[in-house]
Amino acid sequence: FYAGTGYYRMATDQLERFRDAVASESSGPVLVTIVQKARESDLVIEGASLKSAPRGYPKDHPRIELLRIKEMIYGATMPPGDHLHDRRVFDFAMATWRTAQPLTSWLDKHVGSSNLDEPSKFGR
């Protein structure tokens, strides 16, 4: 069982806002701290990313790994077992989403929904 959340297949306007916020000296370091804490809490952060720096950003940018991200999905997997048929699944999902809340809040504040006429059919 996987419980996760995030921004999947960000639209071009969302990607632009995401990268601007990552590159910003006020919001970018905050995201680095949030991602570190999430990983320390056993959240796995995954999603598609570029192989090199996005256009307009230096390859040696201090937050290049985050700038390369095209979608940010984070969550945790519950191992198989009999507990998958009882309340522990719900408790696991709720705990995962609570742990992910700082990441979700950061994305909502700095990226938000797409403003394009035809928003992505995935994610927010």
Side-chain angles (χ1 to χ4, degrees):
F1 173 76
Y2 178 81
T5 187
Y7 278 40
Y8 179 66
R9 293 192 180 175
M10 285 188 264
T12 54
D13 62 328
Q14 291 175 298
L15 266 176
E16 184 178 328
R17 289 191 301 273
F18 174 77
R19 290 185 179 136
D20 287 347
V22 169
S24 165
E25 288 307 317
S26 61
S27 54
V30 172
L31 180 60
V32 170
T33 300
I34 292 170
V35 167
Q36 277 180 313
K37 287 181 181 178
R39 287 182 173 146
E40 289 167 5
S41 298
D42 295 327
L43 282 186
V44 175
I45 298 169
E46 51 197 347
S49 64
L50 300 172
K51 293 183 182 187
S52 63
R55 190 173 298 137
Y57 295 95
K59 292 179 183 186
D60 62 346
H61 191 283
R63 292 178 293 281
I64 192 62
E65 293 299 319
L66 291 171
L67 286 169
R68 290 176 40 224
I69 288 174
K70 293 177 13 180
E71 55 190 34
M72 190 169 215
I73 310 301
Y74 33 93
T77 302
M78 185 179 214
D82 291 340
H83 55 271
L84 292 178
H85 304 287
D86 61 36
R87 182 172 173 86
R88 286 177 281 182
V89 170
F90 174 79
D91 294 340
F92 176 81
M94 292 304 296
T96 300
W97 293 328
R98 272 193 293 278
T99 302
Q101 185 56 44
L103 278 163
T104 304
S105 293
W106 189 95
L107 286 168
D108 288 346
K109 178 180 180 180
H110 298 286
V111 179
S113 299
S114 175
N115 296 322
L116 300 178
D117 289 339
E118 194 173 313
S120 171
K121 53 186 164 180
F122 303 101
R124 294 182 185 251

